[in-house]
Amino acid sequence: QVQLVESGGGYVQPGGSLRLSCVVSGTTFSSYAMGWYRQAPGKQREWVARIFSAGITYYTDSVKGRFTTSRDSAKNTVYLQMNNLKPDDTAVYYCNTAPSAVWNWGQGTQVTVSS
């Protein structure tokens, strides 16, 4: 059974940075494209970033130039570096496969951006 454990969230002021991690257990994720998703209060979960096994990345327009995703296959971990955070980035962040999420969702990690 695949398990996803996200961490690294927190409370930051606008303009701050956070680095999220997602550890994947129960499978070798090297052949999967992985994605970061987020869900803000009262909104649907949305896709944020995607990284293919070869390292090619894609980002939703609202985070381009501010967020960077990477992966470490040896650690079965995917990362999301978030810089210049804005209040609109406030959400619970999740990882899963991409473009479709095929595994059960983890608990996510809360990111709150506020002054």
Side-chain angles (χ1 to χ4, degrees), residues 29 31 47 49 82 84:
F29 85 147
S31 62
W47 163 75
M82 306 186 296
N84 191 22

Side-chain angles (χ1 to χ4, degrees), residues 35-114:
W36 283 96
Y37 305 80
R38 66 185 179 187
Q39 186 167 21
K43 295 186 177 180
Q44 288 189 333
R45 187 176 286 150
E46 65 174 351
W47 163 75
V48 175
R50 181 182 305 160
I51 181 166
F52 289 85
S53 56
I56 298 171
T57 57
Y58 294 94
Y59 303 92
T60 194
D61 285 347
S62 62
V63 308
K64 282 181 181 177
R66 301 188 298 121
F67 289 12
T68 303
T69 188
S70 59
R71 62 193 294 160
D72 185 336
S73 294
K75 296 182 178 180
N76 257 25
T77 301
V78 61
Y79 304 97
L80 186 66
Q81 177 67 43
M82 306 186 296
N83 298 327
N84 191 22
L85 283 160
K86 303 177 180 180
D88 284 348
D89 296 319
T90 295
V92 179
Y93 285 71
Y94 304 86
C95 69
N96 211 310
T97 54
S100 299
V102 300
W103 296 327
N104 291 333
W105 294 98
Q107 83 289 347
T109 186
Q110 175 71 48
V111 172
T112 303
V113 186
S114 176

Side-chain angles (χ1 to χ4, degrees), residues 1 10 33:
Q1 181 177 350

